[in-house]
Amino acid sequence: MVPTRWRPPHKVSSVQQCIRDTFQQQVIGYGGCVEWPPRSPDLNPLDIFLWGYIKQRVYAIHPPTLQELRNRITDARASLSPAMLYNVQREVQSRAQMVYC
């Protein structure tokens, strides 16, 4: 028996179809109407700083429950200052200009 190749859940055809049915022409990325380069550090919509900041706040101590995980994500998001978000937005715009101009 030949083993089947493992596919990440978000790339399974039934999941892709559900996403297309739900979001129609708004899907960006694999199988979407707008292709997005996979794992592109230049075009990552969420800056590495932002991911690191959120993860550091959420996982400083392992959340014991799913509800605690949700609470920490909400709290981490609420702790983002407008200046932090502005800097992230400016960085993403800068990368996009370098790639597309």
Side-chain angles (χ1 to χ4, degrees), residues 49-95:
F49 157 77
L50 184 60
W51 276 122
Y53 176 84
I54 296 289
K55 285 174 70 174
Q56 181 180 28
R57 301 227 11 157
V58 170
Y59 294 108
I61 299 172
H62 184 75
T65 65
L66 182 57
Q67 186 57 50
E68 180 62 23
L69 175 62
R70 289 179 179 143
N71 292 343
R72 288 186 194 181
I73 292 169
T74 300
D75 292 346
R77 167 52 191 99
S79 73
L80 294 169
S81 71
M84 292 166 79
L85 294 174
Y86 174 78
N87 288 336
V88 168
Q89 174 197 5
R90 197 176 68 201
E91 183 63 28
V92 170
Q93 287 174 332
S94 172
R95 286 188 229 161

Side-chain angles (χ1 to χ4, degrees), residues 36 40-45 88-101:
W36 194 266
S40 172
D42 295 329
L43 300 176
N44 187 346
V88 168
Q89 174 197 5
R90 197 176 68 201
E91 183 63 28
V92 170
Q93 287 174 332
S94 172
R95 286 188 229 161
Q97 285 177 338
M98 285 188 272
V99 171
Y100 293 114
C101 293

Side-chain angles (χ1 to χ4, degrees), residues 3-10:
T4 58
R5 193 180 105 150
W6 181 83
R7 292 183 62 137
H10 67 284

